[in-house]
Amino acid sequence: MNTGSTNTEQTVAVSVTVNGTPYVVDVPPRRLLSDALRHDLGLTGTHVGCEHGVCGACTVLVDGAPIRSCLVFAVSLDGTQITTVEGCCADDGEMGPVQQAFQDCHALQCGFCTPGFITLITGYLEDNPAPTPAEASEAIAGNLCRCTGYQNIVAAVQRAAELRRPVVEERASRSPGEDR
Amino acid sequence: MSTRLFGQRVPRSEDPRLVTGNGRYLDDLGHDALAAAFVRSPHAHARIGDVDVSDAVDVEGLVAVYTYEDLVSDQAEHGSRMAEALPLLIPHPTLTHGRTPYPLANGEVNHVGEAVVMVVAVDRYVAEDAAGRIHVDFEPLPAVVGIERARDGGRLVHEDVPGNVAAVMVQQTGDADAAVDAAPHSLELELEIERSASMPMEGKGVLARWDADDQSLLVHTSTQTSTSVRQAVAAKLALPVDRVEVVTPDVGGGFGVKIMHPWPEEVLVPWAARRLGRAVKWTEDRREHFVSSAHERGQLHRVRVGYDDEGRLLGLSVRFWHDHGAYIPYGLIVPIITSTQLLGPYKPGVYRVEFTSLYTNTVIVTPYRGAGRPQGCFVMERVMDAIAAERGIDRTVVRERNFIRPEEMPYDHHLVFQDGRALRYDSGDFPASLEKLRKLVGWDDFAAFREQARAEGRLVGIGLACYVEGTGVGPYEGGHVRVESDGTVVVSTGLTSQGQGHQTMLAQIVADELGVPFDRVRVTTGDTRRFKYAVGTFASRTAVMSGSAVAMTARRVREKAMRIAADALEASPEDLEIVDGQVRVKGTSPSGANVSIDLGTVAVLSNPLRYAFDDAARRATQFASPADPARAPISPGDAPGLEGTEYYSPTQSTFANGMHAVVVETDPDTCEIKILRYCVVHDCGTIVNPMILEGQIHGGVAQGVGGALYERMEYADDGQLLNASFMDFLMPYSTEVPTVEIDHLETPSPLNPLGVKGAGEAGVIPGSAAIASAIEDAEGFPIRRMPISPSELFHLRQEHQS
Amino acid sequence: MKPSPFTYHRPHSADEAVELLRAYGDSAKVLAGGQSLVPLMSMRLAAPEHLVDINRVEALQSVEVGEDEVRVGAAVRHSRLERDEEVYGAVPLLRQGLVNVAHPAIRNRGTTVGSLVHADPAAEMAAVLLLLDGVVELRSATDSREVAAADFFLGPMQSATGPGELAVAARFGRPPPGSGSAFVELSRRQGDYAMCGVGALVTTGQESEITSAKVALVGVGDGPALVDVTSAAAGPGGAFREPQLAELLASQIAPESDIHASAEYRRHLALVLTRRALGQAHERAAA
C-alpha cells in the first residue's frame, strides 16, 4: 500500500544559539532536542543511545549545565545557549582539552557514547577544575559506556583538568569584560 | 629514521574525528531518507489474524505499509525470495530442527518484538504515529519460557519441533561416566547462568539507496560483516551481487549482536528502498533492541566430576541445556564453544559433553562477547573450587595440578572446535601465568587481610578463574595495500570495526612492514566497494586474521617496490632498504642524490603511462626516459600499480589464555557486593598496541562485572520482557566498575606471521566465575548461579543459616 | 520511541497556566522539568494532547527561605535547590535527599515539585516532604488549596493534584533547633531508584536526649511511609531499641517483590537503613 501525502504537522519557530551560532528552526512541538540538533541542524555529534534519559550519550550543555537532550523538547529551550560536542573544540577547530584528553588516555573505543561524556565533563570541570579520581568517577557516573570500562575515562577527566589549566588561567588573567 | 611501531602505545588515528563529533554512524547518514518503523508482536506466542491498516492510511506523511502478504506478492511478481524464511547461517549435522524467522511474521509470532508490519513514512515520528494505528488481531498461544519449561516439552514453540529440541550434540574422548564412577572422589554440581545481551550503545540500523539509473543498491548497515550482508541482500532481493554494495559506517559497538545477519530489517529496508525508488532508513530504538535483537548466556549445566586424592581430574561428564530463543539462525556456535572451551587450561581426564539446544518464546540467542565461554569457564572454575574445598587444598594449587604444562604444547584435546577444526592449543604457559597472578593480587597475603577485615567486622573474599580462548577463527581474511603516487598508503580489509581501533592497529603493522611513517597509512574496513572477500569481525579475530593478511600483503608490496626501485637506482634489491618512505641503498644517507627514491615515485614508475594528467604522472609517460625496446612495459605476470592483495587462512584457531583474581567485600547487613580489587593476567601472544589491548581488557572486565552482578534479561512466564529499558536492565556505570590491574605474558603463536592471538573478548570470559569464587570465599557457602544480586545473596544467607 | 503530537502552550503567569489547564482539562499535562514525563511520552505510555510548559512562569521560579519554612516554586530545578547554601543552612535534609535523586544531568532539568506531583513510590523528595511536615500549594482557575504531605500521596504515581490544578509550590518546614537529619538509600546502581530509601529527622533536648525521632521510607510500599520512632529511642546514647524499631516499621511498610529485590529483602533493608539513617541524624543533632 502506498500513499503520497505529505506531513503538515504544525510547527513552532524556535530560536537557539548552538555553539555560538544563532539558529531559528521551525519544528513540531514534539521534536526532541536531540532530534532537532541532529536532524534539523545537522549537528550529528550528539548521539541518541536510549531515548529515555539513562545512557547520557545525548548530553549537551544548556546555559552551561549538562542535560539530556532526549528528555527535553526543543521548543522548551527557546532562547537558550546550547553547547554540543562540536562546540567543545579549541578556538582553532582542533581538539579541545577534554577531547585531547580522551585521545591521550584512550578513553574511547567505538566513540558512540563519547560526545555525551565530553559535554558532561566540559560542564563539570567548569565547576570542579581539579577533581580527585574518586570525584571524577562520581562525576561521570550518570553516563553509560559499553566499551571502555570507564577506567580510562576517569583518567581523561584528570588529564583534561591538567590540559585546560593554562587556558583557564589565561582566561582569568584577562581583565574582566575584555572578551565581551 | 623510524622506530618500530609494533608493540607501541600509538594513539589512535580514529580519535580526532570521533571526539569532535565528526564520526559518521548509521543514523548520521541519509537525512533525506524516508524512515521505517515496525509493528511488533506484543505477545510471546500467537497466531496472526487480520491486519487492519485503515486507521493508519489517514496519517499525513505515511508512505507505505507492508505485511507478509506484500512479500508473497513481491516474490510472485518479481521473483524475489522475500517471502521465504531467513537463512540458517551456520548449518550443522546435529542441528536437525533448525527454524528461522521470516522478514515479517508469516501467520505466527514466536516472541515479543517479532516484526509483523513495516511502516515507511517521512520521518520516524510519523512512522510511529502510523504504526500505532495499525490493528493486528492476535490469537495468543501458550508461551514457552525458561529452560525447565522448554525441556519438559509440554508446550511447543514450533508445532513441528518435538520437545522444543533443535539439536542434541555429544563429544567425548572416552567413557567419562565410567571414569567418574571409578574415581576415588566425585562431585555433582548444577550450575546456571542467566541471559544477558551485548547491548551496544548504538542499536542496529540500515540505510538503503536504490539508484534506478544504475540499477544498483547501496546499503549502509551497522554490522559486523558487510560482505556477507551483501550476499544475503542480493540473494533475498534476487539482484545480481555486483549490483549491491554494503558499507559499514562508524559502528557504535557490536559485541556480537551485529555479527548476526541478515536481520529482517537488513533485507526489508533495501527491499522497500528499491520498491519506492527512495532512500529508506531504519534506526533501531532501544526498546526495539531489547525485544528484537539478540540475547545470550542462558544455560543450565549438570556436571559430574571424578578426581584423585590430589584433586587431579580423572573424568568429567557435562550435560547442559542451551536456551536459544524462538529461532536458531546462527546455529549451534554458542553451545559448541561452551562444550569445548569449558576445558580451559586443564586436562580433564576422560571427557564427555552433551548439550541440548532448546526453543523458547523469547528473543533469539546469538554470540555475545565471550560467546559461550563465560558459561563454560563458570562451570569449570566452580568445579575447581568445589574440588579444592572438598579436598581442603588451596584453590590455586588444585588448578596448577590440572594445568596442561608448557612442554605439552601443542596440546590436542581430540575434540572438534566451533570452526570444525581441531581443539588444539598452539601455545601458552599456564603455570607462569598463574604465578604472575598470585603475585599481582597478593594471593598469599590475603589470609592476613581477611583477619584484619574480620576484626573490623567486615567480610572479604578472594577468588580466581582461568580460561583459554580460541581466537582468530578462519576461514580467512584478506588485505589490500596500495601505495599512491603521493606516497600515501591505502589499506583495506573486508572485515568491519566497532571501536577496536583497527585503523590504528593495522596501520601500525603496515607502516612497519613497508617502512613508511604511521600517518601516511590510511585504513578502510568493512566497505565492499573496496574489498569484496571477507568473513567478519567476531571471535577475537581481526589482529590475527586481517593483521596477518595486511602484513603479508605489505611484504609483497615491499618486494615489488624494491624491484622497481632497484631498476631506477641501478642497484640490487637485496642492497635496498625502506626508511621513512624512502627506498635507499643500505647505509646511505637519504639526502644523497641517486641513492634514494621515495615510495610515491616508485608507485608512479610502477604504472607506465601515456597521459601526463599531473606532475607525478609525467615521470611515468612513454617519452620520459629511454626504455628497453625488448621489454614490455608490463612484464608477464606483473601488474601496473604498487599494490597487492594477500589472504591469510590458518589451519586452526590460535588459543589465548588469561587468569583473573578478584577481591570482594560483602556487607554483613545490606548484602551489597563490592569489588575491592580486580587483577588480570593476560596472554594473547605478541602485542601490537598495549594501550588498545588494555582498553579491550578494561571493557571486557566491565561487561564481566555487569554479567556477574547486574545484568539479566527478566522474562515473565508469559514471555514479556520485564526490564526492556536502561532503567531496569542494569548496565554498570563508572561507580559499579572496579579499577583493573593488568599484567601481561607474551607467548607468541606459532601459527601466524605476527605471533599474535586475539584479545577482544578475553576480558569478559572469567568475570562470573571469578566473582562467584570470591563471594563464595567471603560467605562460606557455594555460589552455583550467576548473576547474583544483593537480594539473592540475602536469601542465600538465610538458607545457609537455617 | 518518539512522542505523539501535541499542542504546546507557554504561559507566562500562573493565572494563564491554570486557565489553560481549565480549558483543556484531562487532555492537558503540565510540563516542568519533564524528566519523568518526556520518556513516558517517548514510549507512548503518555500522550497528552496539550502540554502547558510552566518553565517561563517567573512566579514559579523562586525559592524563599522563611522563618518557619522553605518555599520552593514549581519551576525550581533540583540542582538549584541542592546547591543553595541558605536552603542547606535552614533545612539540610533537602540537600541530603536531593543528592540521591538520579544523576546531576537529570537534577539540572528536573524540578522538585514535579517529582512530588509525579508521586513515584521510590521518590526521595516525597519522604523529605513528609518528614518536614510539608505542604503542597495547589491552584486551579477557580480555587486555591493546600494539601499536607500526609494527604498528598495517594498511591503509586498518584498525588492529590486534581484535574485543572497546578502545584505552584511546596513548603518544607524548618526543623526545630537541636535537630539532625540524614538520608540513606540503597539502589542497584548508584543513581537508580532505591530498593529502599530512608530519611530520618531526630530532635534532641537540652540533655541531648531524643525528644523526637521520625523516619520516612521510600521504595517499600505504595508511597512514602512516615513512621514516628520516638518510642524506640533508648535514652541519651542515641541508640534505638531494635525490636521496637522493627515493630514500628512493620505495620507501616508494605514492600513488594520486583525484579530488583524481594519483599523480604526490602523489609530487611528498611530496618538496616532506618538504623543507619537514625544514627547519622542523631549524630548531627548532637553535634
Side-chain angles (χ1 to χ4, degrees), chain B residues 766-780:
Chain B
S768 280
I771 292 168
S773 177
I775 296 171
E776 182 170 304
D777 187 48
E779 296 287 327

Side-chain angles (χ1 to χ4, degrees), chain A residues 61 63-66 83 88 97-98 118-131 157 160-161 164 167-168 171, chain C residues 83:
Chain A
L61 305 180
D63 297 330
T83 306
C88 296
V98 182
I118 286 176
T119 48
L120 178 78
I121 294 165
T122 300
Y124 173 77
L125 290 175
E126 284 292 327
D127 296 339
N128 308 272
V157 175
R164 68 192 282 286
V167 182
V168 174
R171 205 198 296 165
Chain C
R83 289 175 199 174

Side-chain angles (χ1 to χ4, degrees), chain B residues 391-410:
Chain B
R391 291 281 83 206
I393 308 171
D394 182 275
R395 286 169 288 166
T396 62
V397 174
V398 166
R399 285 166 171 81
E400 169 99 44
R401 286 179 185 163
N402 284 288
F403 277 159
I404 296 160
R405 315 296 306 178
E407 58 274 18
E408 293 174 282
M409 295 290 175

Side-chain angles (χ1 to χ4, degrees), chain A residues 13-141:
Chain A
V14 179
S15 306
V16 283
T17 301
V18 184
N19 304 329
T21 307
Y23 294 88
V24 180
V25 55
D26 278 320
V27 292
R30 61 167 158 167
R31 180 81 90 239
L32 299 166
L33 175 63
S34 47
D35 285 335
L37 290 168
R38 292 175 46 73
H39 301 304
D40 294 297
L41 302 183
L43 293 168
T44 55
T46 298
H47 295 159
V48 173
C50 74
E51 289 183 293
H52 52 277
V54 185
C55 79
C58 69
T59 304
V60 299
L61 305 180
V62 171
D63 297 330
I67 63 147
R68 312 280 206 231
S69 63
C70 77
L71 290 189
V72 285
F73 297 112
V75 64
S76 231
L77 294 190
D78 195 28
T80 57
Q81 300 266 347
I82 297 169
T83 306
T84 68
V85 66
E86 290 94 339
C88 296
C89 294
D91 293 342
D92 58 3
E94 295 294 305
M95 288 186 278
V98 182
Q99 294 165 333
Q100 182 66 56
F102 265 62
Q103 184 183 35
D104 292 352
C105 299
H106 187 33
L108 70 153
Q109 289 180 28
C110 80
F112 194 81
C113 70
T114 309
F117 278 96
I118 286 176
T119 48
L120 178 78
I121 294 165
T122 300
Y124 173 77
L125 290 175
E126 284 292 327
D127 296 339
N128 308 272
T132 63
E135 287 165 348
S137 175
E138 190 88 7
I140 61 165

Side-chain angles (χ1 to χ4, degrees), chain B residues 6 21 51 137 161 175 188 196 219 242 247 280 291 297 300-301 330-331 364 509 514 521 552 583 586 689 729 770:
Chain B
F6 196 104
V51 179
D137 276 343
V161 179
D175 190 342
E188 290 194 23
S196 183
V219 179
D242 81 330
V247 181
V280 179
V291 298
R297 302 278 198 259
L300 182 60
H301 314 77
Y330 208 78
I364 63 167
I509 293 171
L514 266 183
V521 185
M552 290 160 61
V583 191
K586 278 178 196 162
N689 185 325
F729 180 78

Side-chain angles (χ1 to χ4, degrees), chain B residues 258-338:
Chain B
K258 295 175 182 175
I259 191 61
M260 173 56 210
H261 67 285
W263 289 99
E265 300 86 358
E266 254 167 349
V267 297
L268 287 166
V269 169
W271 174 77
R274 188 183 177 201
R275 267 180 84 111
L276 296 168
R278 303 269 307 270
V280 179
K281 179 164 75 172
W282 170 70
T283 306
E284 184 181 57
D285 70 29
R286 188 53 56 184
R287 211 162 36 162
E288 288 183 291
H289 189 80
F290 270 99
V291 298
S292 64
S293 284
H295 302 163
E296 208 235 284
R297 302 278 198 259
Q299 280 181 185
L300 182 60
H301 314 77
R302 199 172 288 157
V303 185
R304 296 187 68 226
V305 60
Y307 49 95
D308 67 14
D309 294 344
E310 271 72 51
R312 282 191 191 85
L313 300 181
L314 299 170
L316 181 65
S317 178
V318 178
R319 265 200 88 177
F320 70 93
W321 292 266
H322 171 80
D323 168 5
H324 65 248
Y327 304 101
I328 191 163
Y330 208 78
L332 299 172
I333 292 301
V334 171
I336 291 175
I337 293 176
T338 300

